[in-house]
Amino acid sequence: MTNDENIVLMKADLDQIDLVADLFDKYRVFYEQPSNVEEGKKFIRERMENQQSVIFLAIEKQEISVRPLGFVQLYPSFSSVNLAKILILNDLYVDQSARRSGVAKSLMQKAKEHALETGAKELTLETASDNHKAQHLYELIGYEKDEEHFYYNLLLN
């Protein structure tokens, strides 16, 4: 957890869409997508309005403003085999200026708390095979690498 008392974690709503959109754009650029803040904002707005995801936002309170530090986005899903609700931790991003400060760990803890509060039986995620820093964090806080399954994707566009 972060020790800075000026850092606040909150469930984002439409009032924070601009704060989330900037971080979301940086996240997408990290994964080699072209920058497009407006399309990202539209995407985030649709997820929020349709209650298709939950976003937790880390902000730093400053004298007259707030600075977005990071976010985590969760999508609901289900496991037919386990007859249970699961959450997919689809997106985690911390601004370069806030890395190694505990923000990512705090966001991951918030995601876990939300999963427990909403009755999910599993919190699952994936990351790029070369994202070793993220993998280290996930394993440090208790996630286990799935060695039994292969994942396949069919790109439709």
Side-chain angles (χ1 to χ4, degrees), residues 87 109-123:
L87 289 176
Q109 179 61 35
K110 192 70 172 171
K112 179 181 176 182
E113 290 169 8
H114 178 75
L116 290 167
E117 289 167 4
T118 60
K121 299 299 180 196
E122 183 178 323
L123 187 55

Side-chain angles (χ1 to χ4, degrees), residues 111-156:
K112 179 181 176 182
E113 290 169 8
H114 178 75
L116 290 167
E117 289 167 4
T118 60
K121 299 299 180 196
E122 183 178 323
L123 187 55
T124 186
L125 62 82
E126 67 179 76
T127 191
S129 60
D130 63 350
N131 193 347
H132 302 292
K133 289 180 182 178
Q135 293 165 26
H136 177 73
L137 171 65
Y138 303 148
E139 291 172 11
L140 182 70
I141 60 177
Y143 282 75
E144 296 178 12
K145 185 176 180 182
D146 186 336
E147 302 283 356
E148 296 180 22
H149 300 94
F150 290 102
Y151 295 91
Y152 297 90
N153 297 303
L154 177 62
L155 301 178
L156 302 174

Side-chain angles (χ1 to χ4, degrees), residues 43-92:
F43 181 85
I44 295 288
R45 180 179 303 281
E46 288 173 357
R47 301 295 73 73
M48 287 181 171
E49 288 177 344
N50 294 314
Q51 299 179 348
Q52 294 171 330
S53 76
V54 173
I55 297 174
F56 292 101
L57 177 64
I59 59 170
E60 178 183 38
K61 289 186 174 185
Q62 299 174 331
E63 285 186 32
I64 58 172
S65 63
V66 297
R67 182 171 70 103
L69 301 176
F71 78 97
V72 62
Q73 182 165 214
L74 307 167
Y75 291 105
S77 190
F78 298 90
S79 169
S80 300
V81 172
N82 295 314
L83 303 173
K85 175 183 177 180
I86 63 172
L87 289 176
I88 301 168
L89 193 156
N90 204 71
D91 310 316
L92 172 68

